[in-house]
Amino acid sequence: NTGVEFELMAYWFFLRDIILPYQDSVITGEIPAILEFTRYKNEGATRQKGIEAVLRKSFLLNGFIERIDLQATFTRADYVFDEYIVDDNNWNDQLLPGIPLHSATGLLQLSTRDNKVQWSVQHFWNDRMPLNYGNSDWLPAYHLLNSRVDVCVWRPVSGGWEIHAFAGVNNALNTSYTSFPNLNDARGRYYNPAPGINAFGGIRMRVSK
């Protein structure tokens, strides 16, 4: 067995002229129609504090499964506006939209002798996050579960190249979520749906000297 590895990083910084999205619209066409779109501008300032932690542990075995790797990560991101006043709206001390306060991941990977078979399961968790500057609308917290298996189907004794087959599933929990919300939408249309449960597979060739 190997030892436990632990990493911890804390940070705090003050950022000026951040890139912020805002909604705009124009009237187009012979028959007037409103076209809405997103612009970006450098404006305001933020205070950004955070903690990032990583924990790793590996187990070396003598059976069919030769190695087990475990990894967990945790992040806290406390990002707030420090100087941001637009028209009559004062967003100072409001959380930045699109950034979850907490997030965490977990990884389990099993490997057989000579890495002929590798199987991994990865879990993601994102805390709820604000979707607009006023923090009145929020994206709920969500969990994602992905898995993948990789099998070496051909490896010459002399080495140099090998063929692998792989398959997996994403969003095994069939979670309804978005990884790219439309922040500060004037009509509250924040949600760009991400794919539900889906599978993939393929063949790859690896060449080494």
Side-chain angles (χ1 to χ4, degrees):
N1 295 345
T2 64
V4 176
E5 297 180 30
F6 179 70
E7 299 177 14
L8 178 64
M9 181 182 72
Y11 60 89
W12 183 95
F13 62 90
F14 183 78
L15 183 63
R16 294 185 180 276
D17 294 326
I18 61 175
I19 300 175
L20 295 172
Y22 69 98
Q23 300 301 311
D24 202 352
S25 62
V26 295
I27 299 177
T28 62
E30 296 180 0
I31 301 177
I34 298 177
L35 175 64
E36 297 181 347
F37 54 94
T38 301
R39 291 183 183 272
Y40 295 87
K41 57 184 176 182
N42 293 84
E43 188 172 356
T46 63
R47 300 189 308 272
Q48 301 185 15
K49 298 182 293 183
I51 295 175
E52 298 179 356
V54 181
L55 180 67
R56 303 184 187 91
K57 172 65 177 175
S58 296
F59 299 90
L60 304 179
L61 309 175
N62 295 321
F64 176 73
I65 303 297
E66 186 178 59
R67 184 182 179 100
I68 299 176
D69 293 296
L70 301 173
Q71 179 174 293
T73 68
F74 173 80
T75 300
R76 176 182 170 88
D78 188 5
Y79 295 5
V80 298
F81 288 111
D82 188 76
E83 298 175 7
Y84 192 46
I85 300 175
V86 179
D87 300 326
D88 295 328
N89 297 312
N90 186 336
W91 305 128
N92 291 348
D93 297 322
Q94 297 292 327
L95 294 171
L96 268 67
I99 301 175
L101 185 59
H102 304 97
S103 61
T105 67
L107 172 67
L108 165 66
Q109 180 168 292
L110 307 180
S111 304
T112 63
R113 191 173 302 278
D114 298 327
N115 290 326
K116 287 188 176 181
V117 179
Q118 288 187 320
W119 176 58
S120 64
V121 178
Q122 192 164 18
H123 172 262
F124 300 87
W125 172 74
N126 274 348
D127 199 357
R128 68 183 192 129
M129 70 176 74
L131 294 170
N132 55 13
Y133 294 145
N135 296 173
S136 59
D137 294 326
W138 292 72
L139 179 70
Y142 62 88
H143 296 266
L144 294 177
L145 186 66
N146 300 335
S147 183
R148 173 181 170 129
V149 61
D150 188 297
V151 180
C152 178
V153 297
W154 177 258
R155 178 185 293 162
V157 176
S158 58
W161 64 282
E162 51 193 51
I163 298 176
H164 290 248
F166 62 89
V169 59
N170 290 325
N171 193 7
L173 302 176
N174 203 28
T175 299
S176 296
Y177 76 103
T178 178
S179 58
F180 188 66
N182 187 24
L183 303 177
N184 296 298
D185 188 90
R187 300 185 183 181
R189 297 175 300 186
Y190 307 111
Y191 208 71
N192 296 303
I197 184 171
N198 61 94
F200 62 90
I203 296 176
R204 64 185 177 90
M205 184 173 69
R206 177 181 175 183
V207 179
S208 60
K209 295 182 179 180

